[in-house]
Amino acid sequence: MGIVPIITYLSVIVFVVSVVTRFIKLSTLPVHLRWEVYPVPHEKGKGHYGGSYLEEYEWWTKPRQTSKLAELKVMLPEIILLAGVWEHNKKHWFRTFPFHFGLYLLAGLVVLLAVGGVGSVFGLNVAADGGASGALIYYLTIAVGYAGLVLALIGSLALLVRRTFNADYREYTTGADYFNLLFFTATLVVALFSRLTADLHFDGLRGFFQGLLTLNGSAVPPLTALQSLEIVCASLLVAYIPLTHMSHFFTKWFTYHDVRWSDEPNLAGSGFDEKIAKQLEATVDWSAPHIRGDGKKKNWIDVVTSSGREE
């Protein structure tokens, strides 16, 4: 097995471990300060006008009714179409949407390459004349692959130009932001050039995925220097993403469900009351005089039950 497959395996391991580790960390954080901003989409029958279960008489005695479908109606446009960006900053949307949608297509490309590669082991002929199933995967791979590469590249260049030459954006752009966009741009340029010069129909990449997924190093086809560079760059990028703020591709879930949409009532015996009680035991080291925390002995219960402001 060559060095390129090993780098790919290691990158995938880093990606998975990083995502799982961060997911566990976020899942076990103390209760967030909730926004309490309505409408909350999962309010069944009330979300469309901004209502909540608190409208009900003696609401604490009644079972809550929520709707996952209503949540999906809000989440899917936000995830796929970046609806929030379109609503609040249309000029930015025309730059960031191609970038993100291109990345979605490239994720789909990985799935198609994996399906085609493994399917080939079981006799599927992924080719223009490979029958209905084989031809479908063949042409979908080409269409999705080139669309993803071109859109993501256009988006990354547009974002890079915007952050470089627009004074408002430049003020809030860090060196890491420039590095991230340059990393994406370089990887996409190498990948697109590799496709056009060495692997026009993605056959080489499909064979590479076949070798990876079947753990058969001998099945990995010979790679050109450009193809090797493309795979190494893409692998390192995959490993790098969850280590940065770009991990918002999944951490955004917590922002919405634990902060923005969280409206779970604090009722005795619900489990939520135990979380709150645990947080009230935390010591307070804020220096503001109206808080009166010393960071040593006083916890939040001491602060909220103390009488008057200490002079």
Side-chain angles (χ1 to χ4, degrees), residues 112-132:
L112 288 169
L113 290 171
V115 171
V118 174
S120 298
V121 177
F122 295 95
L124 180 67
N125 181 20
V126 182
D129 57 353

Side-chain angles (χ1 to χ4, degrees), residues 111-149:
V111 174
L112 288 169
L113 290 171
V115 171
V118 174
S120 298
V121 177
F122 295 95
L124 180 67
N125 181 20
V126 182
D129 57 353
S133 299
L136 177 62
I137 294 176
Y138 176 79
Y139 284 114
L140 268 179
T141 300
I142 295 173
V144 170
Y146 280 109
L149 288 171

Side-chain angles (χ1 to χ4, degrees), residues 23-299:
F23 188 92
I24 293 174
K25 182 178 180 180
L26 291 173
S27 299
T28 55
L29 284 174
V31 178
H32 294 274
L33 181 62
R34 306 190 302 196
W35 287 12
E36 299 289 353
V37 176
Y38 293 89
V40 176
H42 61 234
E43 283 283 3
K44 190 173 183 179
K46 299 182 176 67
H48 66 283
Y49 67 86
S52 82
Y53 63 89
L54 299 175
E55 299 173 20
E56 301 290 338
Y57 177 67
E58 294 188 343
W59 56 265
W60 57 91
T61 65
K62 302 175 183 178
R64 292 181 60 204
Q65 295 185 339
T66 59
S67 172
K68 294 296 183 184
L69 179 60
E71 278 192 8
L72 286 175
K73 288 181 179 179
V74 175
M75 289 172 60
L76 290 179
E78 175 63 27
I79 294 170
I80 299 174
L81 302 177
L82 305 184
V85 182
W86 172 262
E87 180 181 355
H88 299 291
N89 193 341
K90 288 184 174 60
K91 289 183 178 180
H92 187 64
W93 184 90
F94 284 105
R95 295 167 174 83
T96 193
F97 174 73
F99 177 68
H100 285 85
F101 194 72
L103 295 182
Y104 297 156
L105 291 176
L106 291 177
L109 171 65
V110 170
V111 174
L112 288 169
L113 290 171
V115 171
V118 174
S120 298
V121 177
F122 295 95
L124 180 67
N125 181 20
V126 182
D129 57 353
S133 299
L136 177 62
I137 294 176
Y138 176 79
Y139 284 114
L140 268 179
T141 300
I142 295 173
V144 170
Y146 280 109
L149 288 171
V150 171
L151 282 175
L153 180 57
I154 290 173
S156 65
L157 288 172
L159 289 170
L160 188 59
V161 169
R162 183 73 166 177
R163 289 187 176 276
T164 302
F165 297 104
N166 184 284
D168 292 334
Y169 279 74
R170 188 169 59 247
E171 185 176 355
Y172 296 100
T173 301
T174 65
D177 294 322
Y178 287 119
F179 177 80
N180 295 343
L181 287 172
L182 287 171
F183 196 172
F184 271 104
T185 301
T187 301
L188 291 165
V189 168
V190 170
L192 190 57
F193 193 60
S194 177
R195 298 279 69 69
L196 296 175
T197 60
D199 189 17
L200 190 62
H201 302 128
F202 295 86
D203 296 325
L205 268 185
R206 187 180 301 108
F208 180 77
F209 270 79
Q210 177 183 331
L212 285 180
L213 296 174
T214 58
L215 302 179
N216 182 6
S218 62
V220 177
L223 301 172
T224 66
L226 190 59
Q227 285 177 303
S228 297
L229 178 61
E230 169 198 9
I231 295 171
V232 168
C233 287
S235 298
L236 294 178
L237 183 59
V238 166
Y240 174 70
I241 287 174
L243 302 176
T244 71
H245 71 272
M246 292 185 291
S247 60
H248 69 261
F249 72 90
F250 77 93
T251 58
K252 201 171 183 179
W253 169 273
F254 294 94
T255 304
Y256 273 78
H257 289 82
D258 288 350
V259 181
R260 185 171 180 178
W261 293 344
S262 178
D263 61 349
E264 181 182 354
N266 183 14
L267 300 176
S270 64
F272 194 63
D273 57 334
E274 296 179 4
K275 296 180 181 178
I276 296 295
K278 184 177 180 181
Q279 286 184 227
L280 290 176
E281 294 292 338
T283 55
V284 183
D285 59 0
W286 293 6
S287 60
H290 67 284
I291 297 296
R292 304 181 306 281
D294 58 17
K296 298 176 181 178
K297 297 179 180 179
K298 286 186 178 180
N299 57 30

